[in-house]
Every structure is written in structure tokens, then in C-alpha cells.
Amino acid sequence: IANLDVQILNYASPSRGLGLLYRLVGIDPSRVVSYSPSLTFRIGTLLVPTATYGFHMNTVAAREFRALIRDAVPRELGIADESLRVTRCGNSDDTCRVRIVLQDRGKGNSRAIVQLHELADAISAHFPAAALTVYTSKRASTRTMLVVHYRADILIGAHGAGLSNVLFMR
């Protein structure tokens, strides 16, 4: 990312949401090249920041990306530091809540959690002190996606790209 001679290949034209992500990690949007199946690309080095490979965030690119995000999200999005404190629960203080995000892929998706509402009810019943958010990406802006996942302590979802949001967790 620091090498200004390196260009970033993107599958689509940078949208406002991708522009926000690029700004968070310090990428000038002019370095982004939109992918086209009709073009041939010569790639010297390819870094893919995936978080779900082997259920561990073990790639160098993913670790570096996550480090950049951790510092940039509160600063760029204006999130108060108090709301992002890592807390230990177990006392009667209501401000000490674990934040659980349950991803909803929506009905008809092959990787949707079939009994999502029952799972949400069970999580709420077993962890009454936790703050549960059922997150649906189809209706969320990039900013909302970043904030929800940045604040999450626990992320629950079906296997797939949605779990890559673990990169944004503090």
C-alpha cells in the first residue's frame, strides 16, 4: 500500500463505499484500475486480504489491512473512543456489554441461516447482558458495515464472504 507505483485491481468501478475503504487504508483512488475481462493484466505480486482462509486471519495482507483499519475507523468515521472500549463483563454495570453481530444473508440465499430468528432468540436468552445486532448487508451502507463490525466483539455467520468482515473488528 505504501508503494505509490503499485496499482490496485478492482472488480468494479470504485463506488462511494469502496472509496471510503480506500481512504481508510490510505489508498489514493487514482491508483485503482477497474477489472475488465476483455483486458489482459500483468501482475507482479498479488496480495489477497482474505480473513476466512482456514478460519484464521493469517495472511500478511490481511494482518496489514486490519492494522490500518483499526487506527483509521474511529478517526475517519468520527466514532467516540468511549463507545469502542474493550470491556470485561461480569458485573452489574449495564455499560459493560459484549456486542454480538449475527449476519443475515436473507431468505433464498444458499448460505442463509435457515432458523435465523430462532438463533437470535436463543443468543439473547443465553446471553441477556449482550447487545445483539442482526446485520443485513443488503440494506446497509459501507459506513454502517464498518461501524457495526468494528464495534463487534463476536461475529456469527454462515461460511462465506460475509465473514471477511472480521477484518474490521477491533
Side-chain angles (χ1 to χ4, degrees):
I1 292 175
N3 183 346
L4 298 179
D5 294 329
V6 173
Q7 291 186 303
I8 291 85
L9 182 63
N10 195 51
Y11 280 107
S13 297
S15 64
R16 285 182 25 199
L18 283 175
L20 173 58
L21 287 176
Y22 294 149
R23 190 175 81 232
L24 288 172
V25 295
I27 295 174
D28 180 345
S30 67
R31 294 173 53 197
V32 178
V33 177
S34 294
Y35 170 79
S36 169
S38 64
L39 297 176
T40 302
F41 296 91
R42 181 181 170 274
I43 300 173
T45 302
L46 179 64
L47 296 176
V48 181
T50 180
T52 58
Y53 173 76
F55 302 104
H56 298 286
M57 193 179 74
N58 56 5
T59 66
V60 173
R63 285 194 304 269
E64 289 181 11
F65 184 80
R66 187 168 183 199
L68 290 167
I69 290 291
R70 269 196 190 127
D71 295 337
V73 166
R75 180 184 65 245
E76 291 289 329
L77 300 181
I79 302 170
D81 288 341
E82 307 85 56
S83 66
L84 301 174
R85 289 180 304 173
V86 175
T87 55
R88 300 278 182 236
C89 291
N91 57 31
S92 60
D93 183 2
D94 192 45
T95 62
C96 180
R97 299 183 67 154
V98 172
R99 294 181 180 115
I100 301 172
V101 173
L102 175 59
Q103 292 184 336
D104 178 6
R105 289 177 169 256
K107 294 187 187 266
N109 187 303
S110 63
R111 291 188 181 160
I113 299 172
V114 177
Q115 297 172 320
L116 182 83
H117 298 291
E118 290 86 349
L119 178 58
D121 291 344
I123 291 169
S124 296
H126 282 80
F127 304 101
L132 176 65
T133 300
V134 177
Y135 172 77
T136 305
S137 63
K138 290 181 181 179
R139 294 188 295 265
S141 67
T142 301
R143 183 186 193 287
T144 298
M145 182 263 311
L146 286 166
V147 171
V148 166
H149 290 90
Y150 190 85
R151 290 180 172 164
D153 297 303
I154 299 170
L155 177 61
I156 302 170
H159 173 76
L163 291 179
S164 293
N165 288 321
V166 73
L167 285 170
F168 306 119
M169 294 173 66
R170 58 181 153 72

